[in-house]
């Protein structure tokens, strides 16, 4: 549970690089409920590295204790160092400069820091999902006649879709990758993915590899009532729990697109990749409370058999 989600695949390569370079700590950046930051904090402890997290929050909360909800609970349990910045500071300075600033301070203290980018999304991290595509290919081969026309996945930082799209193209999968972005606009991600695959010298065009649709709705980590109800309905109907920030928005966007453009999807076999993030649900407790399952006090009056020797008479031992 604590080391779960799509970020773990990227961290397999990024943490190996950190260890190879002799790092004694890692730095990464994300939102206040970042799944990537939580996974990085846990992976660091597995490798006996310290972890420094720069977390983005609202300016109203940046000077307050961030609490122990969801991913924050795990991060703080494993001893990650948490630095808070406001969304405005993050927007003005940028994630790269913030990480470099902390790296400089740690170097001055004699530490050996290794920076992991937002979401673990760089060219090295992309290998995590090139490998995932290879695993999918292998599972299809051993399963027999299963084949997918399309792969659908959420997009939050670009590394997962870059790896899946490149891996699908290079393997026998040849499935079209459809990404539903939950933060920035599609054009941003086309450019970002292009940079990632250029870093791997692919010689390919991101527009040919992946189709990116906007599914951010109200904004990153913000949900409409309809989106949350969708997450609840899927859980009730199937037992599959989608997270509200990533996979929930992607699945919601996918079904909306299917309804709007049925000819695009009709007759196609689709693989939806669940990217994790379930701890983020805890940050939505208040919004989900009205949608959650009912409860009641169990009615025990005259319905429970009395134990022998308690004085119950035969007539009152069982309900009518």
């Amino acid at each position: 549970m604590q080391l779960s989600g799509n970020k773990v695949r990227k961290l397999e390569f990024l943490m190996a690089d950190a260890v190879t370079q002799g790092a004694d700590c890692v730095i990464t950046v994300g939102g206040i409920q970042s799944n990537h930051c939580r996974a990085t904090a846990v992976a660091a402890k597995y490798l006996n590295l310290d972890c420094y997290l720069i977390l983005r929050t609202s300016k109203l909360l940046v000077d307050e204790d961030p609490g122990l909800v969801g991913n924050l609970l795990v991060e703080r349990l494993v001893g990650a160092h948490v630095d808070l910045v406001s969304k405005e500071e993050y927007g003005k300075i940028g994630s790269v400069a913030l990480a470099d600033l902390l790296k400089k301070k740690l170097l001055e203290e004699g530490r050996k820091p290794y920076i992991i980018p937002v979401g673990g999304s760089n060219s090295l991290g992309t290998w995590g999902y090139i490998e995932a595509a290879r695993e999918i290919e292998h599972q299809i081969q051993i399963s027999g006649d299963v084949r997918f026309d399309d792969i659908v996945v959420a997009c939050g930082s670009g590394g997962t879709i870059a790896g899946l799209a490149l891996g699908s193209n290079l393997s026998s999968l040849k499935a079209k990758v459809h990404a539903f972005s939950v933060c920035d606009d599609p054009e941003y991600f086309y450019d970002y993915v292009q940079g990632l695959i250029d870093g791997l010298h692919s010689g390919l065009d991101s527009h040919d590899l992946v189709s990116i649709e906007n599914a951010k709705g109200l904004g990153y980590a913000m949900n409409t009532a309809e989106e949350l109800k969708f997450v609840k309905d899927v859980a009730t109907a199937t037992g599959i729990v989608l997270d509200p920030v990533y996979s929930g928005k992607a699945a919601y966007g996918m079904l909306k697109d299917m309804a709007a453009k049925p000819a695009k999807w009709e007759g196609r076999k689709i693989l939806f990749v669940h990217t994790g993030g379930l701890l983020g649900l805890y940050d939505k407790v208040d919004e989900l409370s009205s949608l959650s399952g009912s409860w009641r006090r169990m009615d025990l009056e005259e319905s429970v058999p009395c134990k022998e020797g308690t004085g119950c008479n035969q007539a009152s031992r069982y309900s009518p």
Side-chain angles (χ1 to χ4, degrees):
M1 178 65 172
Q2 71 273 20
L3 193 67
S4 63
N6 63 325
K7 308 306 182 185
V8 180
R9 292 182 177 275
K10 304 174 188 181
L11 288 170
E12 180 179 359
F13 291 85
L14 295 165
M15 286 296 192
D17 191 43
V19 171
T20 299
Q21 293 192 26
D24 62 8
C25 59
V26 295
I27 300 168
T28 198
V29 187
I32 194 68
Q33 281 295 332
S34 168
N35 301 299
H36 161 69
C37 288
R38 178 257 308 154
T40 301
V42 174
K45 284 300 171 182
Y46 284 0
L47 297 170
N48 199 31
L49 301 174
D50 282 338
C51 182
Y52 290 83
L53 304 177
I54 301 172
L55 301 181
R56 179 183 69 248
T57 188
S58 75
K59 63 181 178 181
L60 297 176
L61 301 174
V62 72
D63 294 311
E64 298 182 12
D65 187 316
L68 297 171
V69 174
N71 287 299
L72 277 164
L73 174 60
V74 177
E75 291 160 358
R76 298 180 76 177
L77 276 176
V78 300
H81 304 272
V82 175
D83 284 298
L84 299 180
V85 296
S86 69
K87 293 177 181 178
E88 290 76 13
E89 291 167 335
Y90 182 92
K92 181 179 179 180
I93 301 170
S95 63
V96 174
L98 286 167
D100 285 340
L101 179 63
L102 182 52
K103 179 181 179 179
K104 181 181 178 182
K105 292 179 180 178
L106 290 171
L107 285 170
E108 290 171 353
E109 296 172 7
R111 304 300 301 271
K112 299 176 181 178
Y114 179 92
I115 294 177
I116 295 173
V118 173
S121 292
N122 60 12
S123 294
L124 178 60
T126 299
W127 279 101
Y129 265 84
I130 295 175
E131 274 290 286
R134 187 188 61 79
E135 288 182 28
I136 294 168
E137 179 186 43
H138 177 67
Q139 290 180 27
I140 289 172
Q141 288 171 348
I142 63 176
S143 68
D145 59 354
V146 176
R147 188 160 188 85
F148 294 102
D149 302 302
D150 303 278
I151 297 173
V152 177
V153 67
C155 175
S157 58
T160 296
I161 65 170
L164 277 176
L166 192 53
S168 179
N169 180 272
L170 295 173
S171 69
S172 63
L173 288 178
K174 300 296 186 284
K176 178 72 173 180
V177 175
H178 302 263
F180 287 86
S181 63
V182 301
C183 45
D184 294 289
D185 294 328
E187 279 309 313
Y188 167 83
F189 281 115
Y190 279 121
D191 291 342
Y192 194 83
V193 169
Q194 189 65 54
L196 296 180
I197 62 177
D198 285 350
L200 297 174
H201 309 290
S202 71
L204 299 169
D205 189 315
S206 62
H207 288 81
D208 297 330
L209 290 176
V210 60
S211 171
I212 306 174
E213 302 280 348
N214 194 333
K216 66 181 178 181
L218 296 177
Y220 177 70
M222 299 169 66
N223 294 102
T224 64
E226 291 79 11
E227 288 168 349
L228 291 176
K229 184 178 184 301
F230 173 78
V231 169
K232 166 64 170 61
D233 290 345
V234 170
T236 302
T238 68
I240 297 171
V241 181
L242 301 169
D243 85 287
V245 180
Y246 297 98
S247 60
K249 282 192 174 182
Y252 182 73
M254 176 183 70
L255 292 184
K256 280 183 66 178
D257 199 54
M258 287 177 175
K261 307 169 187 174
K264 172 182 171 182
W265 299 94
E266 189 174 356
R268 301 182 69 83
K269 190 174 287 290
I270 301 156
L271 172 65
F272 183 88
V273 178
H274 192 319
T275 48
L278 298 185
L279 285 167
L281 277 169
Y282 291 92
D283 196 42
K284 303 288 183 179
V285 168
D286 291 341
E287 295 168 77
L288 287 167
S289 60
S290 63
L291 300 172
S292 57
S294 61
W295 67 277
R296 66 184 181 185
R297 171 74 159 87
M298 187 174 179
D299 183 7
L300 299 177
E301 186 176 351
E302 296 186 351
S303 61
V304 180
C306 294
K307 293 182 179 179
E308 293 296 332
T310 59
C312 294
N313 59 45
Q314 190 67 28
S316 65
R317 287 184 64 184
Y318 301 99
S319 59

